[in-house]
Amino acid sequence: MSKTHTLYQHGTLALLVPGLLDGTITMKELLKHGDTGIGTGEGLDGELIILDGVPYQVDHEGNVNVVNDDFTLPFANSHFAEYKRLTDIEELSQAELDKKIGAMTSANTFYSIKVHGTFTNIKTRAVKKSHKPYATLGKTAEDQSIFLRESVEGTLLSYYSPQIFDGAAVGGFHHHFLSDAHDFGGHVLGFGGATGNVEIQQFDTLEQHLPIHNKDFMNYDFSDWDILGEIHNAE
Amino acid sequence: MSKTHTLYQHGTLALLVPGLLDGTITMKELLKHGDTGIGTGEGLDGELIILDGVPYQVDHEGNVNVVNDDFTLPFANSHFAEYKRLTDIEELSQAELDKKIGAMTSANTFYSIKVHGTFTNIKTRAVKKSHKPYATLGKTAEDQSIFLRESVEGTLLSYYSPQIFDGAAVGGFHHHFLSDAHDFGGHVLGFGGATGNVEIQQFDTLEQHLPIHNKDFMNYDFSDWDILGEIHNAE
């Protein structure tokens, strides 16, 4: 197993659903598993994107902050970048991009996509940090800010997970964005047109880490929840 | 991450459903990830159980064979044993044992159970190896032998996976058995009474490896299948 063939994941999307939002991994630890990644902070404190080993947070006011080693997260992905050129794209919407990549790539394993270029009519969101006792994901995510740009240069960082892992991860694509000027980004809700180059990195291993020292998580009874339904409403 | 906190899994239960039964990992490679484990051979060739680094296969005739390094498997779990004593049990049925362990343990992370003792009215199965072109899991599993013992000394080796991973793994318990005399075993369908000592090993990490060099797997369109329904019929 090569390190660059492994996608690391801390936590699951499922645990966010009932509001298990404690930060259970530090950024320092997360960066040991990759120089590239995405995530959210404790209490859904903004949207994280790690590029070239630097962890950026887009907070609910739209500010882009570099976070410290002791910043904690309930859910995150990271990996060591070794992307390969896939294709060039011109004026593709998010749905068109997802479809084009899907047609070029197996749907049955995990991979990451990195697109650098110009994005038009791009819409992102970032949630406002909540505090204990946490509300559910659905409730907390209502307190989100939406950001829009007509045209912006930047990097789209995405993870694709096979449908069978939906619930643990996001089945399908999960896109985060950061502008080159570090003044815009977040969890991507959509874009009208992306023009630039697409790189891909395919994984053969998911290293799924769970917060077994977090009592709220370990004692939680998930059986009453429609976890997948709630995730798809919130994402 | 300690090695003994990691459960390694090659393949998914989901890929067995449509009959992607090529052996995609060798026993030699699997043993690099643990000295303890379970699995099935290429074409559902029997039921495997690895104890103290020795890989035993219960074939469809009920013979217990030690397999070679080049034996291949489409699906397997392994880990490095570091069990801790959990409890003693007396005359517990499989359902009672599952319930007792569940009451003592978090349902939200992966763990392994090892029970050594006397098992009464234990029923196991092993499937007969099929060859390419493979039929579906449901069809191939019809060609299984059922074995029964009134009373036998042996080891029950089980993995528990949280429900959110159902499909990738077996949500809930997955039990294999090997008699001390190495003359009986297989995938456990049930037992009337187990008396002995129960050990547990909890994991914080699932290392999920996928057979990305197998074209049949990578190109397969899973979207037409009710994967979870099929798994629960077959298991």
Side-chain angles (χ1 to χ4, degrees):
Chain A
M1 181 182 73
S2 155
K3 263 193 164 181
T4 57
H5 289 176
T6 296
L7 170 61
Y8 179 80
Q9 178 162 294
H10 173 78
T12 61
L13 261 198
L15 66 79
L16 302 180
V17 168
L20 297 166
L21 305 181
D22 284 346
T24 45
I25 190 171
T26 61
M27 184 53 76
K28 184 175 182 178
E29 177 65 24
L30 183 62
L31 290 171
K32 288 181 188 166
H33 301 278
D35 53 22
T36 304
I38 63 174
T40 183
E42 177 165 271
L44 302 185
D45 185 11
E47 303 284 345
L48 278 286
I49 182 167
I50 305 169
L51 293 173
D52 297 324
V54 183
Y56 302 94
Q57 176 207 37
V58 180
D59 68 26
H60 77 288
E61 293 180 325
N63 300 314
V64 178
N65 317 301
V66 174
V67 301
N68 292 330
D69 276 354
D70 59 357
F71 185 89
T72 62
L73 309 91
F75 179 76
N77 286 113
S78 69
H79 77 281
F80 289 100
E82 193 179 66
Y83 289 91
K84 287 176 181 155
R85 192 181 168 285
L86 183 69
T87 188
D88 291 329
I89 53 171
E90 213 178 312
E91 289 290 330
L92 291 194
S93 69
Q94 184 178 338
E96 289 165 343
L97 176 65
D98 291 0
K99 198 175 163 189
K100 185 182 175 87
I101 295 166
M104 299 175 80
T105 311
S106 169
N108 298 335
T109 194
F110 297 87
Y111 57 88
S112 175
I113 291 289
K114 203 158 87 167
V115 184
H116 185 259
T118 305
F119 292 76
T120 57
N121 297 315
I122 179 168
K123 186 156 93 168
T124 64
R125 71 112 192 273
V127 177
K128 185 176 179 183
K129 179 175 185 171
S130 68
H131 296 273
K132 263 191 158 172
Y134 301 116
T136 63
L137 177 65
K139 198 80 191 160
T140 307
E142 282 174 14
D143 208 357
Q144 68 179 19
S145 305
I146 306 274
F147 309 109
L148 276 163
R149 279 286 176 97
E150 268 186 39
S151 180
V152 60
E153 307 268 319
T155 301
L156 182 77
L157 177 64
S158 312
Y159 289 98
Y160 172 89
S161 302
Q163 281 303 326
I164 198 72
F165 292 95
D166 196 27
V170 181
F173 289 99
H174 187 172
H175 300 292
H176 281 204
F177 184 83
L178 184 68
S179 69
D180 287 352
H182 295 177
D183 61 355
F184 173 81
H187 177 100
V188 175
L189 297 174
F191 47 81
T195 301
N197 59 78
V198 182
E199 293 177 300
I200 189 167
Q201 182 172 354
Q202 193 179 62
F203 307 112
D204 66 13
T205 298
L206 173 71
E207 186 180 337
Q208 170 68 64
H209 182 254
L210 295 169
I212 68 164
H213 301 297
N214 185 266
K215 283 187 182 163
D216 288 350
F217 167 68
M218 291 296 269
N219 295 332
Y220 196 80
D221 180 2
F222 285 90
S223 62
D224 291 339
W225 282 89
D226 170 18
I227 294 290
L228 299 187
E230 293 286 332
I231 287 172
H232 298 150
N233 283 341
E235 292 295 315
Chain B
M1 181 182 71
S2 157
K3 262 192 164 181
T4 57
H5 289 176
T6 296
L7 170 61
Y8 179 79
Q9 178 163 294
H10 173 78
T12 62
L13 262 198
L15 64 80
L16 302 180
V17 169
L20 297 165
L21 304 182
D22 284 346
T24 44
I25 189 170
T26 61
M27 184 52 76
K28 185 175 181 177
E29 178 64 25
L30 182 62
L31 290 171
K32 288 182 189 164
H33 301 278
D35 53 23
T36 304
I38 63 175
T40 184
E42 178 165 89
L44 302 185
D45 185 13
E47 302 285 345
L48 278 285
I49 181 168
I50 305 168
L51 294 173
D52 296 326
V54 183
Y56 303 93
Q57 176 208 36
V58 180
D59 67 26
H60 77 288
E61 294 182 323
N63 300 314
V64 178
N65 317 300
V66 174
V67 302
N68 292 330
D69 276 357
D70 58 358
F71 185 89
T72 62
L73 309 91
F75 178 76
N77 286 113
S78 69
H79 78 281
F80 289 100
E82 194 180 65
Y83 289 91
K84 287 176 182 156
R85 193 183 167 285
L86 182 67
T87 187
D88 291 330
I89 55 170
E90 214 179 310
E91 288 292 329
L92 291 193
S93 70
Q94 184 178 338
E96 288 165 343
L97 176 64
D98 291 0
K99 196 175 163 190
K100 185 181 176 88
I101 294 166
M104 298 175 80
T105 312
S106 170
N108 298 333
T109 195
F110 297 87
Y111 57 87
S112 175
I113 291 289
K114 203 158 87 168
V115 183
H116 186 259
T118 304
F119 292 76
T120 57
N121 297 314
I122 179 168
K123 188 158 95 169
T124 63
R125 71 114 193 272
V127 177
K128 185 176 179 183
K129 180 175 183 170
S130 68
H131 297 273
K132 263 191 158 170
Y134 302 116
T136 62
L137 177 65
K139 198 80 190 158
T140 308
E142 282 174 14
D143 207 359
Q144 66 179 19
S145 305
I146 307 274
F147 310 109
L148 276 163
R149 280 285 174 100
E150 267 185 39
S151 180
V152 60
E153 307 269 319
T155 301
L156 181 78
L157 177 65
S158 312
Y159 289 98
Y160 172 89
S161 303
Q163 280 304 326
I164 198 74
F165 292 95
D166 196 25
V170 181
F173 288 99
H174 187 172
H175 299 293
H176 281 205
F177 184 82
L178 183 68
S179 69
D180 286 353
H182 294 176
D183 61 355
F184 173 82
H187 178 100
V188 175
L189 297 175
F191 47 81
T195 301
N197 60 77
V198 183
E199 293 178 299
I200 189 166
Q201 183 173 352
Q202 192 179 63
F203 308 110
D204 66 12
T205 298
L206 173 72
E207 186 179 337
Q208 169 68 65
H209 182 255
L210 295 170
I212 69 165
H213 301 298
N214 184 267
K215 283 186 183 165
D216 289 349
F217 168 68
M218 291 298 268
N219 296 332
Y220 196 81
D221 180 2
F222 285 90
S223 62
D224 291 338
W225 282 90
D226 170 18
I227 295 289
L228 299 187
E230 294 285 331
I231 287 172
H232 297 152
N233 283 342
E235 291 295 316

